[in-house]
Amino acid sequence: MRSLVGPVPEPAERVSSALRRCSRAALGLSSATSGESASEVSLVHQVPETADLWIALPVADAATIGSVGLRARLEVLDEIVGGAAEGRCRRIVVVEGLLELPGVRAQRSTAGEIARDLPDPVLLDVGTGVALVRLRAERIVLTDDDGVTDIEPEDLATSGPDPFADLEGHWLDHLNDPRCQVVPRMALRVCRCLPAERPLLIGIDRAGADIELVGRDGRIHRERLPFAEACTTATELGTQLRLLAGGSRYPLDRAAIRP
């Protein structure tokens, strides 16, 4: 795992986090018989220490893969989960490579291994209505506010998701609540006076937070607020958010900033 440094997580880590959340994704399949087709993806799981991905597909779609594999293109939309900005897409990850279909027994065994790290009800249907297929990643492209970035499979293999990827939605729900004044206080770091519309917290990771403001011109502006120190625990994250809001390192009310 790479060291936790820098104001913004590296592109490979952002990709890994997007794949972990995988709020919406589609898999494009290419075959000589059926041509181009797209399948809805219900789960994506990165194989530890590799750039390969396990993908849950409907059995009928997986049946077209065959024994020799199939060229495929996975498109993942990393949408905001939690808070008033829920559903907005903040980055797109595209992974191209060879898709393989293991036997049913191997799929069920893999589903049990995945469930220990990423419990999901869809894994209960593996072998009946759902198939687990493996995508051998060859090309990975990230598109976000920083532009379009090619990610080396080796970089993704040695990276990992943000430590708060699974809990980010709970934090956004809590801090964007109108009764919570943490986000408006954070916004004062980048604007002299608050706009008429309440600022929104649209992202949290180990290195900082992203807020969205509507300027006097009516345009939406996104600002990055880096933490003074990278975080690995919820306690550390609460401390850094509190400091950005102009508070002290040690809270008087320890429950005030926890979701």
Side-chain angles (χ1 to χ4, degrees):
M1 182 69 66
R2 296 179 183 274
S3 59
L4 303 181
V5 295
V8 181
E10 294 182 351
E13 184 177 334
R14 278 178 272 162
V15 167
S16 188
S17 297
L19 295 173
R20 175 79 179 190
R21 284 185 289 262
C22 189
S23 51
R24 191 149 58 98
L27 186 70
L29 305 173
S30 301
S31 65
T33 56
S34 60
E36 295 284 343
S37 62
S39 300
E40 184 177 347
V41 171
S42 51
L43 179 141
V44 172
H45 183 266
Q46 184 179 344
V47 181
E49 300 180 356
T50 77
D52 294 351
L53 305 172
W54 285 111
I55 301 172
L57 291 178
V59 167
D61 295 333
T64 64
I65 296 174
S67 58
V68 297
L70 201 65
R71 306 301 305 177
R73 181 179 187 271
L74 175 70
E75 184 175 290
V76 175
L77 302 183
D78 185 20
E79 297 177 338
I80 299 172
V81 179
E86 182 164 3
R88 296 186 191 176
C89 182
R90 54 188 162 186
R91 60 181 62 95
I92 301 174
V93 176
V94 174
V95 183
E96 298 176 349
L98 182 66
L99 199 64
E100 300 174 349
L101 177 64
V104 174
R105 181 176 295 181
Q107 291 180 42
R108 288 175 174 162
S109 175
T110 300
E113 296 173 2
I114 294 174
R116 284 193 285 270
D117 177 50
L118 185 64
D120 192 300
V122 73
L123 295 170
L124 298 174
D125 294 330
V126 170
T128 53
V130 171
L132 274 180
V133 298
R134 183 162 181 156
L135 179 60
R136 306 277 184 182
E138 297 172 359
R139 183 168 185 256
I140 306 163
V141 179
L142 168 67
T143 302
D144 60 9
D145 290 341
D146 290 341
V148 180
T149 307
D150 280 292
I151 311 296
E152 292 295 330
E154 293 79 9
D155 289 340
L156 183 61
T158 56
S159 183
D162 183 83
F164 307 106
D166 293 341
L167 299 175
E168 184 193 39
H170 298 292
W171 284 91
L172 295 181
D173 267 336
H174 173 66
L175 296 174
N176 282 317
D177 189 299
R179 296 168 294 182
C180 180
Q181 294 304 308
V182 172
V183 176
R185 291 171 184 166
M186 291 169 56
L188 290 174
R189 286 184 168 268
V190 294
C191 60
R192 290 185 176 180
C193 57
L194 293 177
E197 290 190 33
R198 177 185 169 90
L200 287 178
L201 187 64
I202 59 172
I204 299 176
D205 53 61
R206 60 164 180 81
D210 299 302
I211 62 172
E212 185 176 274
L213 304 130
V214 179
R216 294 181 180 179
D217 55 1
R219 295 182 180 180
I220 295 176
H221 304 272
R222 292 185 178 182
E223 299 287 346
R224 175 71 176 179
L225 298 177
F227 295 145
E229 302 170 4
C231 309
T232 57
T233 67
T235 300
E236 294 172 347
L237 179 60
T239 297
Q240 293 302 316
L241 288 169
R242 188 165 52 252
L243 291 174
L244 283 182
S248 63
R249 177 173 288 272
Y250 303 103
L252 297 176
D253 180 4
R254 294 184 181 275
I257 203 167
R258 271 203 303 267

